[in-house]
Amino acid sequence: MALVVQKYGGSSVESAERIRRVAERIVETKKAGNDVVVVVSAMGDTTDELLDLASQVCPSPPARELDMLLTSGERISSALVAMAISSLGAQARSFTGSQAGVITTSAHGKAKIIDVTPGRVRAALDQGSIVLVAGFQGVSQDSKDVTTLGRGGSDTTAVALAAALDADVCEIYSDVDGVYTADPRIAPNAQKLDRVSFEEMLEMAACGTKVLGLRCVEYARRYHVKVHVRSSYTDNQGTYVYGSMEDIPVEEAILTGVAHDRSEAKVTVVGLSDQPGYAARVFRAVADADINIDMVLQNISKVETGKTDITFTLPKTDGPLAVEKLTKLQEEIGFSNIVYDDHIGKVSLVGAGMKSHPGVTATFCEALAEAGINIDLISTSEIRISVLCRDTELDEAVRALHEAFDLGGDEEAVVHAGTGR
Amino acid sequence: MALVVQKYGGSSVESAERIRRVAERIVETKKAGNDVVVVVSAMGDTTDELLDLASQVCPSPPARELDMLLTSGERISSALVAMAISSLGAQARSFTGSQAGVITTSAHGKAKIIDVTPGRVRAALDQGSIVLVAGFQGVSQDSKDVTTLGRGGSDTTAVALAAALDADVCEIYSDVDGVYTADPRIAPNAQKLDRVSFEEMLEMAACGTKVLGLRCVEYARRYHVKVHVRSSYTDNQGTYVYGSMEDIPVEEAILTGVAHDRSEAKVTVVGLSDQPGYAARVFRAVADADINIDMVLQNISKVETGKTDITFTLPKTDGPLAVEKLTKLQEEIGFSNIVYDDHIGKVSLVGAGMKSHPGVTATFCEALAEAGINIDLISTSEIRISVLCRDTELDEAVRALHEAFDLGGDEEAVVHAGTGR
């Protein structure tokens, strides 16, 4: 008997009506002869509403209490889905992340899954129940407090459960059809991909593709969980994410898609000493503020001044804090000034195929140049090329690359106003 | 150091503003040098809203899932109160009923507390925290599932915690000032009682007084928990409920108050055989439907017919079901017909003093007769007299008794539009 893990995002369960439809799909999956475990996000905007309520009673809520509060959302939706399933005549039991054995670190708001011990889930499945698990949460190994997992936490919960239960597939349902060669709202002839390797999906997630979170894909890769990204509004097959790109025969390796990202900002530390150690002090200052840096460029120093500039990108939401921290250390570290630019866009080409196809970088740059787009910063990996450009030119850059590498199909993509939730 | 347990009902925490006020009171209690444990109900109408949501996805929700759903309400409010407390500079941690060690039977929706093992609560108190506990819930000893405790469950949670922690007092906060000699909305000169014994409070709760639930008072009596019923809107002293009436010196024993109840209906089984066993079959049929019977009257049988009538009262909400069950068994048991009356009221006089004062029953009946009120059924205990009358005459009956036994004060009672929540 196959075991299927499904995950439904917030918009898929945003109302009583949607919950009933999701319940029908779940029961069909069970009737087809599968054991079914379903991870559920909170209904629609519940999490935002709870955050708003919290801000009304406390400007800076303690992280532990925020987790106690927010986890109510998934508890409510998983119980409701269980009820809807039972009204269709099937058995269902809901569990919190803690009850389902999702063990995490103690970092409230961004906990990481350490282990999954799904004993109660397995027992309920063996009794013939469909099992609902509240997503986005677990329990701290040390303090036994309830924790939330940060953005994309429900996807990670689903993949982690699939790994622990040795599931045949982990279906991630949202309001988008699958993974596309580019965002169909920008490149209307984008095609839905049938399959993407783990490494390629990791790159796409890191480069702005929202449909699956980075941690979720990392987890799937480590534990070899087959992920199927699908729409909860149709029965269409979506995109399978599994397998290593190493297993793709060289001649079949292709360029997978174009990703874009508007969420970053750029910081340039100007006139930094060129001596060893100074760049490190800049990065340490930023890291101490718990800020992740993405792309880095150190310009060639001017011999006559012995000074150089360092440029890096980071999430826009962390921009002001990073500037503040560095400014405080200006005298101590020693630099002229900081330039902050939050009107950048990042566009990336991802594909296992570029390993074996020289000239991809050249074609990439030519395509952007022909479109009149200035490249600000370039960064590459074995299977990815990313550049920064003006955010106003980002859509054009996506289309130029999508065209240059012939990624489009003949038909217009079916476009939902999807958020990927 | 004294340990104070406080319980705040739904209307006391119905908004962010009320939550902040409650947090201020809690912090003051802590600053006065006490350890403080606070049991919280769900905000305002949250429980009803969750029930409504449940009914939209499922006409008859499984009891286990309903408990998973409803317990979110108290989780949310206790986390919010903890946040509000921390914004005032004090430490606070919230726990679910399960985390606080409230162990119950498995009866979802009406579980009974078996034991309370408050290890985590005690540890948090020792670390200097104010502790919040989600009310109305616990965890089943057998299945480890989350359970809810039925009506008045948060009061019972508070008293049970107070017993387990050996608290000095258990303060029950609602929007009423305390326990009165009668409902002030009916008898404007009703006085607030300073103190009521456990047995008297039990009778009053059983006879319709809503401010404390029956199970909560039973628990307090068994474990000798001193209860203080107060308003969350003022700093006034309320009513203390503690001690056995046996400890009240005879000369001090008084009549405590008049209770009234509109929630019952009356069922009369007409023309039942007078032989042994037939009455029992009627009561068994009702009990099998899980319906509690309150007052019972068996009329004197008519010798010539060998038939009699049995009358009993029960909650109005169970009335139709009881009539249905008995009607189905009409031929089997053998009776003429059933009369159903849901326009009855029950008025009761409670007081340890009636044990030692003969003539109370006579005064009681005379007072009602003088007010022109017909007595339909009478039932007494050592410290209580209850009668049924027409529901339209109930308020008048309350006033007549309150007057006849001189229970009123000189001042008009301060009347909130309180619901006792």
Side-chain angles (χ1 to χ4, degrees), chain A residues 20 57 64-65 75 94, chain B residues 20 57 64-65 68 94:
Chain A
R20 293 187 64 75
V57 300
R64 177 200 186 273
E65 296 306 321
R75 183 192 194 93
S94 72
Chain B
R20 294 188 62 76
V57 302
R64 179 199 184 276
E65 296 305 321
M68 281 294 276
S94 72

Side-chain angles (χ1 to χ4, degrees), chain B residues 163-186:
Chain B
L165 291 163
D166 206 22
D168 294 81
V169 67
C170 179
E171 298 177 333
I172 303 287
Y173 287 93
S174 67
D175 50 7
V176 294
D177 241 347
V179 184
Y180 280 76
T181 51
D183 188 329
R185 290 170 295 185
I186 296 176

Side-chain angles (χ1 to χ4, degrees), chain B residues 113-153:
Chain B
I113 297 179
I114 293 174
D115 193 11
V116 178
T117 55
R120 286 178 82 173
V121 173
R122 190 66 255 179
L125 287 172
D126 292 342
Q127 283 171 357
S129 263
I130 293 165
V131 173
L132 287 305
V133 178
F136 185 50
Q137 56 186 257
V139 64
S140 158
Q141 190 173 54
D142 300 329
S143 65
K144 302 290 181 281
D145 284 330
V146 165
T147 53
T148 59
L149 304 173
R151 273 196 103 238

Side-chain angles (χ1 to χ4, degrees), chain B residues 51-352:
Chain B
L51 282 167
D52 183 58
L53 206 43
S55 68
Q56 287 182 50
V57 302
C58 182
S60 186
R64 179 199 184 276
E65 296 305 321
L66 203 52
D67 277 358
M68 281 294 276
L69 178 71
L70 296 181
T71 48
S72 306
E74 289 75 23
R75 185 192 193 93
I76 288 170
S77 57
S78 53
L80 287 172
V81 175
M83 290 179 190
I85 289 171
S86 76
S87 80
L88 296 170
Q91 276 188 69
R93 290 168 74 90
S94 72
F95 294 107
T96 59
S98 171
Q99 292 170 327
V102 179
I103 318 287
T104 75
T105 61
S106 315
H108 287 289
K110 48 185 181 179
K112 291 195 174 134
I113 297 179
I114 293 174
D115 193 11
V116 178
T117 55
R120 286 178 82 173
V121 173
R122 190 66 255 179
L125 287 172
D126 292 342
Q127 283 171 357
S129 263
I130 293 165
V131 173
L132 287 305
V133 178
F136 185 50
Q137 56 186 257
V139 64
S140 158
Q141 190 173 54
D142 300 329
S143 65
K144 302 290 181 281
D145 284 330
V146 165
T147 53
T148 59
L149 304 173
R151 273 196 103 238
S154 293
D155 292 350
T156 314
T157 303
V159 169
L161 272 166
L165 291 163
D166 206 22
D168 294 81
V169 67
C170 179
E171 298 177 333
I172 303 287
Y173 287 93
S174 67
D175 50 7
V176 294
D177 241 347
V179 184
Y180 280 76
T181 51
D183 188 329
R185 290 170 295 185
I186 296 176
N189 66 344
Q191 301 185 80
K192 189 179 68 181
L193 297 158
D194 287 336
R195 181 207 160 190
V196 182
S197 70
F198 284 129
E199 293 89 345
E200 289 167 307
M201 195 66 231
L202 273 170
E203 290 284 6
M204 292 184 79
C207 293
T209 302
K210 291 193 176 21
V211 69
L212 280 182
L214 199 60
R215 188 162 301 153
C216 152
V217 183
E218 279 177 350
Y219 211 105
R221 182 174 72 94
R222 193 175 354 145
Y223 292 97
H224 310 291
V225 175
K226 186 183 209 175
V227 177
H228 188 183
V229 179
R230 311 178 65 177
S231 163
S232 61
Y233 289 83
T234 72
D235 284 325
N236 300 342
Q237 180 163 298
T239 301
Y240 281 95
V241 178
Y242 76 97
S244 169
M245 63 178 183
E246 307 297 335
D247 301 333
I248 307 172
V250 169
E251 57 278 9
E252 286 177 33
I254 55 162
L255 295 172
T256 297
V258 178
H260 71 281
D261 194 344
R262 291 179 195 283
S263 71
E264 298 199 336
K266 188 178 69 170
V267 173
T268 302
V269 179
V270 181
L272 185 70
S273 165
D274 192 25
Q275 297 298 311
Y278 281 84
R281 295 169 77 178
V282 168
F283 295 131
R284 174 56 56 199
V286 175
D288 281 351
D290 218 23
I291 296 169
N292 284 326
I293 285 174
D294 182 20
M295 303 166 82
V296 176
L297 175 72
Q298 177 164 343
N299 295 322
I300 297 176
S301 64
K302 300 174 172 49
V303 170
E304 57 274 16
T305 60
K307 300 256 186 241
T308 185
D309 301 338
I310 288 184
T311 298
F312 59 88
T313 67
L314 75 177
K316 259 185 213 179
T317 45
D318 292 329
L321 179 63
V323 172
E324 179 195 320
K325 294 287 179 190
L326 287 171
T327 305
K328 279 197 183 128
L329 297 166
Q330 183 165 0
E331 223 172 270
E332 190 183 317
I333 299 180
F335 53 82
S336 308
N337 60 298
I338 296 174
V339 178
Y340 181 67
D341 184 356
D342 63 355
H343 290 124
I344 61 166
K346 177 174 154 191
V347 63
S348 312
L349 177 73
V350 176

